[in-house]
C-alpha cells in the first residue's frame, strides 16, 4: 500500500493537476475516486472543504491543489518542479495565482453561464488572459523552449494544463477555441500533450464534451 492516497474525481481539473505532479515525480499512490454528487460518509474528515483533490500522506492530510502540489514538491524533491531562484519562484507563484483567480473563473463562467451576455464578456476576458499568457508569460519566460520556464517543466505548466486539455469542450459548447494568433500558447499546449506524465492520464476531447454536457447547452448555430 502506498504512503500517498489521493482523493480525486476524473472530471475535476483541480484533481488533474495533482495527479499530473504525482505522475511526473513517479510517486507511488493509491487513487480513490470520489463521486462529488454522492460523497462518501466521512470524506470531510480527509477533505474539510468536501472538495477534491485531497491527499493523505501517512497520518498527514493536505487539501487544495496548489498547496498539495507545493507540498509534494518539497517532500519528494526530485525532479524539482519549482525554480530554486527566489525571483523565479515568486514568478511561478504569481502565475499559479493568475490561473486560479483569472483564467479559471473566466473559463468556468463561459462554460457554465446560460446568460449570453455573460458568455460574451467571459470570451473577451479569456482572450485578454490568453494574450497576457502569450506575451507576459511564455513570451518573456520561455523563450524558444517548450515549457513555461524554458526547458524544465514546472508546477506552473501542470497548474494551467488541465483547462487546456478541456478546451475542446469549451469550443464545442461556446464556439471559443484558442485563437490562431497565440502561437506560443499553442506550442506550449502541444509540448505538454506529448509529455509522458500527461499522456498517462489524458482524456480525449469527446470525453470532456460528454461529461460537460450537464454544465453547458450548445450555442445555437445561426442559419
Amino acid at each position: 500500500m502506498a504512503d500517498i492516497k489521493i482523493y480525486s474525481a476524473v472530471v475535476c481539473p483541480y484533481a488533474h493537476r495533482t495527479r499530473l505532479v504525482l505522475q511526473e515525480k513517479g510517486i507511488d499512490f493509491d487513487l480513490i475516486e470520489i463521486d462529488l454528487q454522492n460523497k462518501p460518509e466521512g470524506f470531510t474528515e480527509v477533505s474539510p472543504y468536501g472538495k477534491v483533490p485531497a491527499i493523505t500522506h501517512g497520518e498527514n492530510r493536505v487539501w487544495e491543489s496548489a498547496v498539495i502540489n507545493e507540498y509534494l514538491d518539497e517532500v519528494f524533491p526530485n525532479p524539482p518542479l519549482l525554480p530554486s531562484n527566489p525571483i523565479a519562484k515568486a514568478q511561478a507563484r504569481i502565475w499559479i495565482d493568475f490561473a486560479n483567480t483569472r483564467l479559471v473563473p473566466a473559463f468556468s463562467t463561459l462554460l457554465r453561464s446560460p446568460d449570453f451576455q455573460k458568455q460574451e464578456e467571459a470570451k473577451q476576458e479569456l482572450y485578454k488572459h490568453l494574450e497576457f499568457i502569450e506575451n507576459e508569460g511564455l513570451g518573456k519566460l520561455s523563450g524558444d523552449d517548450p515549457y513555461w520556464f524554458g526547458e524544465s517543466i514546472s508546477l506552473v505548466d501542470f497548474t494551467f494544463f488541465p483547462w487546456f486539455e478541456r478546451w475542446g469542450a469549451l469550443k464545442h459548447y461556446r464556439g471559443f477555441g484558442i485563437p490562431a494568433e497565440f502561437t506560443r500558447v499553442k506550442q506550449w499546449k502541444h509540448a505538454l500533450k506529448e509529455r509522458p506524465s500527461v499522456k498517462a492520464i489524458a482524456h480525449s476531447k469527446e470525453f470532456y464534451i460528454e461529461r460537460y454536457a450537464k454544465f453547458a447547452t450548445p450555442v445555437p448555430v445561426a442559419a
Side-chain angles (χ1 to χ4, degrees):
M1 182 178 292
D3 286 342
I4 296 279
K5 293 180 181 177
I6 176 170
Y7 296 78
S8 178
V10 70
V11 78
C12 175
Y14 294 97
H16 191 175
R17 288 171 163 177
T18 296
R19 290 182 63 201
L20 287 170
V21 171
L22 290 165
Q23 291 288 148
E24 183 67 28
K25 286 182 171 287
I27 300 168
D28 190 25
F29 64 92
D30 292 330
L31 176 64
I32 301 168
E33 280 288 315
I34 298 297
D35 180 352
L36 295 173
Q37 307 306 313
N38 186 27
K39 297 169 189 174
E41 188 175 348
F43 177 54
T44 54
E45 294 176 13
V46 176
S47 177
Y49 297 169
K51 301 192 299 183
V52 295
I55 67 165
T56 59
H57 182 201
E59 297 298 315
N60 300 316
R61 58 181 182 158
V62 188
W63 58 96
E64 291 294 295
S65 62
V67 179
I68 294 170
N69 289 353
E70 283 213 35
Y71 173 81
L72 292 172
D73 198 46
E74 290 185 8
V75 175
F76 302 93
N78 292 310
L81 295 178
L82 275 177
S84 57
N85 177 279
I87 187 60
K89 187 178 291 185
Q91 288 170 333
R93 288 175 173 146
I94 287 168
W95 283 108
I96 290 167
D97 180 75
F98 181 89
N100 292 340
T101 61
R102 288 172 168 76
L103 184 92
V104 171
F107 184 106
S108 182
T109 298
L110 178 53
L111 180 68
R112 292 169 179 261
S113 177
D115 183 275
F116 181 76
Q117 182 59 37
K118 287 185 178 179
Q119 290 176 22
E120 289 302 301
E121 290 170 359
K123 283 181 182 179
Q124 294 175 23
E125 193 173 346
L126 258 186
Y127 185 94
K128 287 193 298 183
H129 295 336
L130 288 172
E131 187 175 45
F132 192 72
I133 291 169
E134 175 85 5
N135 298 319
E136 191 67 28
L138 297 170
K140 291 186 177 179
L141 299 174
S142 179
D144 294 326
D145 293 316
Y147 305 120
W148 212 281
F149 282 93
E151 293 183 357
S152 298
I153 201 159
S154 74
L155 291 184
V156 177
D157 299 291
F158 292 137
T159 292
F160 279 89
F161 183 74
W163 282 267
F164 284 87
E165 185 170 290
R166 290 157 175 76
W167 212 284
L170 197 66
K171 185 176 181 180
H172 176 82
Y173 288 115
R174 297 295 182 244
F176 187 83
I178 299 173
E181 58 266 33
F182 299 135
T183 56
R184 286 296 292 112
V185 171
K186 286 176 172 285
Q187 290 166 8
W188 168 84
K189 181 184 177 185
H190 177 75
L192 264 290
K193 285 177 66 176
E194 295 303 310
R195 189 85 181 177
S197 57
V198 173
K199 281 185 170 183
I201 57 172
H203 290 292
S204 67
K205 174 180 69 176
E206 290 73 23
F207 175 90
Y208 293 114
I209 288 171
E210 178 184 340
R211 279 158 180 78
Y212 283 154
K214 62 184 176 183
F215 300 124
T217 303
V219 175
V221 177

